[in-house]
Amino acid sequence: MNVPNYKDAKSREKKGVNILRDFSIEDDKKKIGNNKKYFIKTYGCQMNERDSESIGAILEEMGFSKVDDYEVADLILLNTCSIRENAHNKVFGMLGRIKRLKEANPNVIAGLCGCMAQEEVVVNDIMNKYKWLNFVFGTHNIHKLPTILSEALENQIQNIDVWSKEGDIVEGLPVKRDNNYKAWVNIMYGCDKFCTYCIVPYTRGKQRSRLKEDILSEVKDLINDGYKEITLLGQNVNAYGKDFENIEYHLEDLLVDVSKTGIERIKFITSHPWDFTDGMVDVIKNNKNINPFVHLPIQSGSNKILKLMGRKYTKEKYLELVKKIRENIPNCVITTDIIVAFPGETREDFEESLEMVNLCEFDAAFTFIYSKRAGTPAAKMECDISKEEKENRLRELNQVVNKYSLESNKKLINTVVPVLLESKSEKVGMLMGYTDTNKLINVKASDDYIGSVVDVKVTNVRTWSLDGELYE
Ligand code: SF4
């Protein structure tokens, strides 16, 4: 039994990173899933989605086959997110439903993984109130799933194996991708920024970058498999390479090398303003297949609150960066994340966030009410903002954000944009896809265009999506 420990999770002493390349599944574990079906529910960010693609592939190598309905599954696994309270609530709601299933059929195997498994409070809860859950593992030992699952089944006792550590890099895990045309490519794991409200540095370990060779070989394999688009993934991709000891090789260098592979479309997420260099702006500008799309969380427009958050940049610096990107890459779409009602945020601080939205005219923004995460420094900060006031601020912010999202889309009417068509749309006779600037679009086209990057004339827009027709 290994349970999470925040003291170990937040240590950042060890120099260097182990790269593990010896993943394999023992023969006796390859039959465990024969004639059994598995269901994975993934919560949270793209990193979790990418992890679920490997977890699914491992289960399939153990003989399981995938189903999309948890009620008919023999094995149910929740890949969880810790970023906000509502993610927690969703998971505990789902655990309630799984409990009823297991009461009806005790042979159902249930497990939990992801960031919530790395939280001390959650695992304590599981050990006390969810004894029926068969196994729990964390973000650092996905490669140990075959052993963790087989031990849980053999011993018929709850198997909790969560590692709180700085973290290694595990190369060579199998992957079963959810999309046939665009793929997530991890370039780094973990984060060392320790923004005061954020649980990620505790749940995902220290900042550690994959070697360029491993990333480029994955990209080349994807090209050979017909993929059109990749998104380079990390909690803070702009810190890529900072942990390399003997070489100066950073995100902009990697982007140039990935661009040279010839993949049609390249995106990267998530950026941190603090590490976003001028070199990045030039690389996006000068490489056609690097899409003009930047997700750049600001979190607050008040320097006082940015300081309390530990974000290490000022609103002036942020604005300067947005201006630089817009001047050099005119059609670049810039989206952001904003938190309202952070402890200590006054009405005036909040209005500074509104003002930054007006100054930056974001193309879209993801907005949230601050959510206290146990173990983070901000959790100790006093917050006297009423529930009503919190909701008022979120509503007010969304009105301003939506205004600019619609304006951003209106600028595209009658223009021609490149779109990767991914699947049938809910709209009859239409396909859905995303533009190079990551805007959702429904396009009048026949199914044989699925998987192609096509030129589309934008015919209609809404706040969060576009309509268009093929422009041939
Ligand atoms: S940079 Fe992002 S992932 Fe890292 S601590 Fe800050 S908010 Fe969390």
Side-chain angles (χ1 to χ4, degrees), residues 83 190-202 204 207 234-237 270-275 297 299 309-311 337 339:
I83 211 79
C191 187
D192 289 350
K193 288 277 184 291
F194 286 97
C195 301
T196 59
Y197 54 84
C198 186
I199 195 91
V200 170
Y202 308 85
R204 291 252 170 206
Q207 200 169 284
Q235 307 290 352
N236 166 23
V237 287
T270 294
S271 288
H272 191 294
W274 187 30
D275 299 314
Q299 304 299 9
M309 286 177 164
R311 293 289 288 173
D337 295 342
I339 294 173

Side-chain angles (χ1 to χ4, degrees), residues 217-445:
S217 93
E218 183 173 346
V219 173
K220 287 172 186 150
D221 290 348
L222 287 164
I223 294 170
N224 294 341
D225 294 343
Y227 278 80
K228 298 288 175 20
E229 178 177 310
I230 57 156
T231 298
L232 304 180
L233 274 187
Q235 307 290 352
N236 166 23
V237 287
N238 299 88
Y240 176 78
K242 285 196 163 191
D243 51 302
F244 290 149
E245 281 163 12
N246 315 320
I247 55 165
E248 282 296 316
Y249 187 80
H250 298 289
L251 180 61
E252 56 218 64
D253 309 304
L254 178 67
L255 278 169
V256 169
D257 286 334
V258 171
S259 171
K260 286 181 189 151
T261 65
I263 184 91
E264 243 176 287
R265 294 163 47 125
I266 303 166
K267 291 184 169 80
F268 54 90
I269 201 167
T270 294
S271 288
H272 191 294
W274 187 30
D275 299 314
F276 205 105
T277 62
D278 295 357
M280 280 290 299
V281 177
D282 295 340
V283 164
I284 300 169
K285 182 178 170 187
N286 301 330
N287 292 277
K288 285 239 156 320
N289 57 351
I290 299 177
N291 286 174
F293 164 66
V294 174
H295 183 60
L296 196 65
I298 186 174
Q299 304 299 9
S300 174
S302 149
N303 285 339
K304 182 191 99 188
I305 299 298
L306 287 172
K307 202 159 187 352
L308 287 172
M309 286 177 164
R311 293 289 288 173
K312 302 188 178 70
Y313 53 82
T314 61
K315 63 178 183 180
E316 291 79 13
K317 275 273 169 230
Y318 185 93
L319 192 56
E320 207 180 290
L321 175 56
V322 167
K323 284 199 172 129
K324 198 175 287 167
I325 294 171
R326 289 252 157 86
E327 276 155 19
N328 286 279
I329 316 165
N331 68 330
C332 189
V333 155
I334 301 177
T335 60
T336 196
D337 295 342
I338 303 172
I339 294 173
V340 299
F342 186 82
E345 184 188 71
T346 61
R347 178 77 209 170
E348 292 67 37
D349 297 321
F350 171 66
E351 283 171 3
E352 289 185 76
S353 290
L354 293 179
E355 188 206 7
M356 278 304 279
V357 175
N358 288 319
L359 289 170
C360 297
E361 298 186 5
F362 294 110
D363 297 275
F366 302 92
T367 57
F368 314 94
I369 291 174
Y370 166 71
S371 179
K372 189 159 94 172
R373 311 318 302 140
T376 62
K380 300 191 189 81
M381 299 177 188
E382 279 303 308
C383 185
D384 57 4
I385 307 165
S386 70
K387 184 168 180 297
E388 193 199 353
E389 177 55 18
K390 291 176 181 178
E391 287 160 2
N392 288 345
R393 289 181 189 178
L394 187 67
R395 199 176 307 112
E396 209 177 322
L397 176 63
N398 287 341
Q399 276 162 5
V400 181
V401 161
N402 291 350
K403 183 182 80 174
Y404 289 109
S405 297
L406 184 57
E407 276 177 18
S408 161
N409 290 346
K410 278 185 178 163
K411 289 181 198 142
L412 297 176
I413 290 188
N414 292 332
T415 68
V416 176
V417 291
V419 172
L420 169 56
L421 293 171
E422 294 176 32
S423 62
K424 278 180 182 297
S425 162
E426 280 160 15
K427 296 181 171 206
V428 181
M430 298 183 99
L431 302 181
M432 66 74 72
Y434 287 85
T435 66
D436 58 340
T437 55
N438 213 38
K439 287 178 184 283
L440 172 64
I441 184 164
N442 299 292
V443 180
K444 237 193 250 114

